[in-house]
């Protein structure tokens, strides 16, 4: 056990929910124990003065999805327990909209930090403090403001912006890609655009060719770079989107990037190629097979298996 580590256990009204813990942009892996979630927090990973806990319920045929963002959990709530060997116990009280510490002491109220962010106009606070989306697509929506919100210090504002971009559909894609090209060094922009694009594609795969027409070559290159990103979350979302997009243009770009990518990056870039393989011409498939043969000695067994799967797909 590390002397700078603590386990945070969150229980209470969490049945059927997903619980996420963030310190700035860093997300911690949560182990679902059934009646609780447990997170391992290491002191050097806490790079901001506050932590955020997001508790979300998926909804059902009779209930809307609900989200409870606690954005103002002070870093001081964790620091005294680092290296103590104790489990830090927090409880979610859904009716009160509160995160409770030892006894009945309130750690945080649901919502963004007071005075920290602009009002969240697309959301309405209900009487039970649940957060229910009431956003309606606006033909005159200001994409510049929403895209600015992708870089907000507020987790809630960033999530709201991703949701609005996804809801706006294909008309949000060109402004998203322009911002991505301008701010591709911003982690929050890369992640926000990748999430919004992927969420839209998941429900609109039949529109992939129309979506591909909205993506210029420069934007496609940036998206492929994201599929090989050092950050796992960005990498996973970007590669899923590009796999479903299945754009043959991505093959040449991905092959160039594979040369300098990490092992995980190589794997995800080959996933991108896998998605485009069915639409490749025979001559391009033959050239790809030669390129893959030259790669085999530079990749691990898992990636080699994926190469075999790609070459065996399509018709």
């Amino acid at each position: 056990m590390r002397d700078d580590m603590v386990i945070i256990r969150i229980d209470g009204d969490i049945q059927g929910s997903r619980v996420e813990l963030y310190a700035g942009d860093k997300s911690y892996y949560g182990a679902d124990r059934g009646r609780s979630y447990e997170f391992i927090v290491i002191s050097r990973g806490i790079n901001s003065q506050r932590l955020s806990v997001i508790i979300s319920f998926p909804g059902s045929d009779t209930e809307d999805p609900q989200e409870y963002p606690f954005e103002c959990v002070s870093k001081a709530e964790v620091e005294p327990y680092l290296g103590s060997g104790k489990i830090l116990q927090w409880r979610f009280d859904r009716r009160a909209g509160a995160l409770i510490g030892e006894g009945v002491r309130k750690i945080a109220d649901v919502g963004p930090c007071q005075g920290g962010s602009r009002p969240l106009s697309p959301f309405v606070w209900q009487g039970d403090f649940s957060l229910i989306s009431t956003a309606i697509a606006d033909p005159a929506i200001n994409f510049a403001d929403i895209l600015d919100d992708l870089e907000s210090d507020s987790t809630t504002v960033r999530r709201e912006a991703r949701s609005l971009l996804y809801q706006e559909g294909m008309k949000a894609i060109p402004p998203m890609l322009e911002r991505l090209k301008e701010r591709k060094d911003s982690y929050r922009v890369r992640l926000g655009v990748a999430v919004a694009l992927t969420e839209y594609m998941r429900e609109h795969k039949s529109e992939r060719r129309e979506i591909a027409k909205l993506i210029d070559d420069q934007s496609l290159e940036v998206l492929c770079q994201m599929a090989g990103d050092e950050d796992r979350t960005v990498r996973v979302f970007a590669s899923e989107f590009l796999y479903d997009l299945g754009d043959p243009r991505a093959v040449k770009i991905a092959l160039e990037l594979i040369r300098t990518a990490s092992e995980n990056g190589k794997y995800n870039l080959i996933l991108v190629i896998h998605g485009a393989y069915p639409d490749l011409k025979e001559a391009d498939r033959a050239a790809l097979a030669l390129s893959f043969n030259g790669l085999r000695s530079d990749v691990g067994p898992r990636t080699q298996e994926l190469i075999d799967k790609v070459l065996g797909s399509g018709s």
Side-chain angles (χ1 to χ4, degrees):
M1 299 290 286
R2 299 177 62 95
D3 60 5
D4 62 349
M5 184 197 80
V6 65
I7 295 175
I8 298 177
R9 178 181 294 157
I10 301 176
D11 60 13
D13 302 324
I14 65 166
Q15 186 172 359
S17 72
R18 179 183 179 186
V19 182
E20 300 166 88
L21 176 66
Y22 295 88
D25 285 328
K26 178 179 175 59
S27 61
Y28 291 96
Y29 170 76
D32 185 353
R33 303 300 188 191
R35 296 184 178 181
S36 66
Y37 269 78
E38 290 185 359
F39 300 86
I40 296 176
V41 176
I42 298 173
S43 63
R44 68 173 182 270
I46 306 177
N47 55 11
S48 63
Q49 292 303 307
R50 64 177 186 267
L51 291 86
S52 300
V53 176
I54 311 293
I55 301 174
S56 53
F57 294 83
S60 65
D61 293 339
T62 57
E63 293 184 354
D64 289 323
Q66 295 183 343
E67 222 174 66
Y68 298 79
F70 298 92
E71 294 205 344
C72 277
V73 180
S74 173
K75 182 179 179 179
E77 295 287 347
V78 176
E79 286 182 317
Y81 292 86
L82 292 167
S84 68
K86 297 180 179 179
I87 293 178
L88 182 54
Q89 187 85 36
W90 295 345
R91 176 171 58 86
F92 171 49
D93 187 329
R94 189 172 185 178
R95 181 173 293 276
L99 203 58
I100 310 298
E102 292 181 330
V104 295
R105 185 176 64 85
K106 185 185 295 185
I107 291 175
D109 286 308
V110 71
C113 293
Q114 293 297 318
S117 305
R118 63 172 180 74
L120 305 183
S121 57
F123 290 97
V124 174
W125 294 102
Q126 303 296 325
D128 64 353
F129 291 91
S130 61
L131 191 62
I132 300 176
S133 174
T134 59
I136 299 176
D138 180 354
I141 194 165
N142 188 329
F143 284 114
D145 286 347
I146 298 174
L147 290 164
D148 287 345
D149 285 347
L150 291 179
E151 298 186 87
S152 170
D153 288 334
S154 163
T155 304
T156 303
V157 171
R158 294 198 302 272
R159 291 168 71 96
E160 173 200 7
R162 297 170 198 167
S163 177
L164 284 175
L165 290 168
Y166 151 70
Q167 291 174 44
E168 289 300 315
M170 284 207 277
K171 65 181 177 181
I173 292 177
M176 271 198 288
L177 295 177
E178 286 303 311
R179 180 61 60 92
L180 179 62
K181 287 185 289 187
E182 295 169 2
R183 300 280 295 148
K184 66 179 182 180
D185 292 334
S186 166
Y187 170 78
R188 289 176 175 175
V189 170
R190 295 200 311 277
L191 179 60
V193 170
V195 169
L197 288 173
T198 303
E199 292 288 351
Y200 183 76
M201 179 66 85
R202 284 173 179 171
E203 296 185 11
H204 300 85
K205 292 180 183 178
S206 63
E207 301 173 7
R208 69 181 184 89
R209 297 186 190 282
E210 288 73 23
I211 294 170
K213 292 176 182 177
L214 298 174
I215 303 176
D216 62 274
D217 291 348
Q218 186 181 355
S219 297
L220 187 61
E221 183 171 357
V222 176
L223 290 168
C224 286
Q225 290 169 357
M226 289 161 53
D229 201 277
E230 293 181 0
D231 180 81
R232 181 182 183 277
T233 307
V234 171
R235 191 168 65 241
V236 167
F237 275 102
S239 58
E240 178 183 336
F241 170 74
L242 290 169
Y243 176 88
D244 288 334
L245 186 69
D247 191 330
R249 293 178 298 162
V251 172
K252 181 178 179 181
I253 300 170
L255 285 172
E256 287 291 327
L257 294 171
I258 282 173
R259 297 177 181 177
T260 56
S262 66
E263 178 62 25
N264 287 328
K266 286 181 170 67
Y267 184 89
N268 283 67
L269 286 164
I270 292 173
L271 273 179
V272 172
I273 295 171
H274 191 186
Y277 190 83
D279 285 350
L280 291 181
K281 298 176 180 178
E282 286 300 324
D284 293 328
R285 290 186 183 185
L288 179 61
L290 291 174
S291 297
F292 276 170
N293 286 334
L295 269 176
R296 288 183 184 276
S297 61
D298 296 327
V299 299
R302 177 168 169 261
T303 306
Q304 290 181 21
E305 289 178 8
L306 180 59
I307 288 174
D308 292 335
K309 186 175 181 180
V310 174
L311 296 178
S313 65
S315 58

